Amino acid sequence: MNIKETTRKYVMDTYGRFDLVLARGSGCILYDDAGKGYIDFASGIAVNDLGYNNGLINEAIISQAKKLIHVSNYFYTEPQALLAEKLCKSSFADKVFFCNSGAESIEGAIKLARIYSQKISKRGHKIIAMQNSFHGRTFGALSATGQSKYHKGFEPLLDGFAHVKFNDFEAVNEAIEGAEGKDYCAVIVEPVQGEGGVNLADKNYLKRLRELTAKNDVLLIFDEVQAGLGRTGKLFAYMNFDVEPDIMTLAKPLAGGLPMGAVLAKDGVAKAFEPGSHASTFGGGPLVAAAANAFFDEISKEGFLEEVCKTGEYMKSKLDGLKAGFAGLIKDVRSIGLISAIEFYSIKAKDAAVELIGEGFLTTAVQENILRFTPPLIIKKNDIDLFAEAVAKVLAKKEKNEPR
Ligand SMILES: Cc1ncc(COP(=O)(O)O)c(C=O)c1O
């Protein structure tokens, strides 16, 4: 079978795919169908945080599959109970709702915010979201997303989202303290805007948002679908900012590569949901929950996140070196833990990603001129050295052709 042709013929054309068929993976290396290896600086889209063919994840999935893959949420299962306890005991939250993806976790968060408003805070249904944010492709998540390129062709979107400038406290303050402030029930923000280009929130901004929202009984929602669960070097991204949200969304790496999302909240907020309010057929099923327990146990092990911080610092030093060496091509580098990006002046990120594939490295083009790196959290310094050399090689070629 010609895999590319068959895919193009039968799968809807929603992805700009690279010209690569991936067949298997091991550690931080993916292999194509001809057996050529690529060092992964993408991890899917920030998913495969323990790399490929991880023994702990495999063992958890295989042993759980032999016991029970699925039962409905009308019954209790041990993997779900264990995972919920771990997530709550290690975060600000008291309760969790399980779903299957990042977008679904956002839908859950929006519904929880609205019902909390109707039943408890008695405010309106509107939500303040950030420009340049990304929350997913379903209608609620899409409406929360502050990038019009994703909206095009799908309007009208869900009513009630106001988008304000990221990191601009006054913009949120004006909305909440303004004449129509009572209309707003929540503020949703990514502490690190991943798809937006690895833009970090200011610590003081989040702190002031926390004070403002708490004062007005407006819920503060952190979307940690991409930056949560160890990616920033802390278990949850909010821990870098010393600010706790009322609701947090998780997904991507949560179940070691299987689809899973979660909405976490404090008791006082979670109590707005009651049996029948919200549901998911597959959410928190025993197979994905078993994989998630294995993943969570691994990243919670003593020393694991310290190592992520160290490797992250190393990656940052290499990116800073590239910026110094290619000052005419690189406008900025940004990073926290093991999520980082290079912003180019004019080089197309997609072109750079294609050239890096030629050098044996996988990356993600997130904006026109922004290339993002989210390697597995187990990436080694040696791989980072090879990666920096490859980026330097690609940029040296570009320097000849594309001076600033
Ligand atoms: C911050 C954030 N929220 C939500 C989503 C949507 O997740 P999913 O693609 O699993 O629906 C993403 C995906 O990139 C994301 O980065």
Side-chain angles (χ1 to χ4, degrees), residues 50 54 56-61 83 86 254 289-299:
L50 298 180
N54 179 285
L56 295 167
I57 301 287
N58 289 356
E59 175 52 30
I61 292 172
L83 181 62
K86 282 174 201 168
L254 178 55
N293 277 308
F295 170 74
F296 198 78
D297 289 348
E298 187 60 10
I299 65 166

Side-chain angles (χ1 to χ4, degrees), residues 60 78 92 190 273 300 304 335 367 383 386 388 395:
E78 188 183 26
F92 73 95
E190 295 159 88
F273 272 165
S300 305
F304 185 95
S335 77
Q367 298 282 332
D383 293 327
L386 296 173
L395 293 184

Side-chain angles (χ1 to χ4, degrees), residues 83-400:
L83 181 62
E85 183 179 42
K86 282 174 201 168
L87 288 172
C88 291
K89 285 196 167 164
S90 58
S91 74
F92 73 95
D94 303 307
K95 289 274 191 324
V96 53
F97 173 84
F98 290 112
C99 53
N100 310 288
S101 70
E104 268 186 53
S105 71
I106 299 296
E107 299 298 328
I110 293 170
K111 286 181 75 176
L112 182 55
R114 281 197 175 189
I115 204 161
Y116 175 84
S117 180
Q118 274 194 26
K119 284 188 178 172
I120 298 169
S121 66
K122 310 285 181 202
R123 302 180 64 91
H125 71 283
K126 292 189 178 173
I127 294 178
I128 298 172
M130 300 301 143
Q131 290 167 6
N132 210 30
S133 60
F134 184 81
H135 299 292
R137 307 290 193 142
T138 52
F139 264 101
L142 188 64
S143 307
T145 293
Q147 299 188 62
S148 56
K149 66 181 179 192
Y150 296 112
H151 296 165
K152 249 173 103 184
F154 300 111
E155 299 91 348
L157 300 177
L158 189 66
D159 157 61
F161 287 89
H163 291 99
V164 300
K165 203 166 153 213
F166 182 57
N167 267 336
D168 179 352
F169 173 74
E170 282 315 319
V172 182
N173 191 43
E174 261 172 44
I176 290 178
E177 299 282 10
E180 272 141 41
K182 264 282 194 191
D183 291 350
Y184 294 103
C185 65
V187 177
I188 182 165
V189 59
E190 295 159 88
V192 180
Q193 289 188 332
E195 297 301 299
V198 189
N199 307 311
L200 274 63
D202 294 333
K203 205 169 180 176
N204 197 39
Y205 168 70
L206 291 185
K207 197 166 157 267
R208 293 182 78 193
L209 275 191
R210 177 67 286 179
E211 286 161 9
L212 174 71
T213 49
K215 187 179 97 185
N216 289 284
D217 205 0
V218 168
L219 297 176
L220 184 59
I221 305 170
F222 283 172
D223 179 350
E224 295 214 11
V225 164
Q226 184 159 153
L229 294 163
R231 177 58 58 194
T232 64
K234 301 263 189 202
L235 195 52
F236 300 106
Y238 74 80
M239 293 170 169
N240 294 285
F241 301 89
D242 302 326
V243 174
E244 290 187 349
D246 300 299
I247 299 176
M248 174 172 71
T249 58
L250 299 174
K252 288 191 182 284
L254 178 55
L258 293 181
M260 185 178 222
V263 185
L264 282 76
K266 288 194 192 284
D267 255 335
V269 176
K271 71 179 182 196
F273 272 165
E274 59 188 271
S277 297
H278 194 43
S280 165
T281 295
F282 291 114
L287 186 74
V288 285
N293 277 308
F295 170 74
F296 198 78
D297 289 348
E298 187 60 10
I299 65 166
S300 305
K301 272 199 184 134
E302 211 185 315
F304 185 95
L305 292 175
E306 284 77 1
E307 204 51 41
V308 173
C309 290
K310 279 190 209 152
T311 325
E313 280 302 312
Y314 191 70
M315 178 81 182
K316 183 179 180 315
S317 72
K318 287 286 168 177
L319 293 178
D320 287 342
L322 286 166
K323 183 168 185 285
F326 295 94
L329 299 179
I330 296 179
K331 189 173 171 188
D332 195 16
V333 298
R334 295 182 286 276
S335 77
I336 180 168
L338 275 171
I339 179 167
S340 52
I342 294 180
E343 180 166 1
F344 299 112
Y345 283 108
S346 62
I347 294 173
K348 299 268 181 286
K350 192 79 196 274
D351 292 349
V354 169
E355 297 210 20
L356 280 165
I357 287 178
E359 300 299 326
F361 294 88
L362 304 184
T363 56
T364 316
V366 286
Q367 298 282 332
E368 179 94 355
N369 304 112
I370 303 177
L371 194 62
R372 187 187 58 203
F373 318 116
T374 50
L377 302 182
I378 56 168
I379 194 86
K380 294 281 176 277
K381 283 182 180 172
N382 184 44
D383 293 327
I384 295 175
D385 289 341
L386 296 173
F387 175 68
E389 279 168 30
V391 176
K393 187 173 165 194
V394 166
L395 293 184
K397 264 196 271 166
K398 295 263 177 207
E399 207 164 35
K400 281 195 204 139

Side-chain angles (χ1 to χ4, degrees), residues 3-17 154:
I3 295 169
K4 291 179 206 165
E5 259 176 33
T6 308
T7 303
R8 284 196 287 265
K9 183 164 178 200
Y10 292 109
V11 178
M12 288 195 200
D13 192 18
T14 64
Y15 302 102
R17 295 184 202 263
F154 300 111

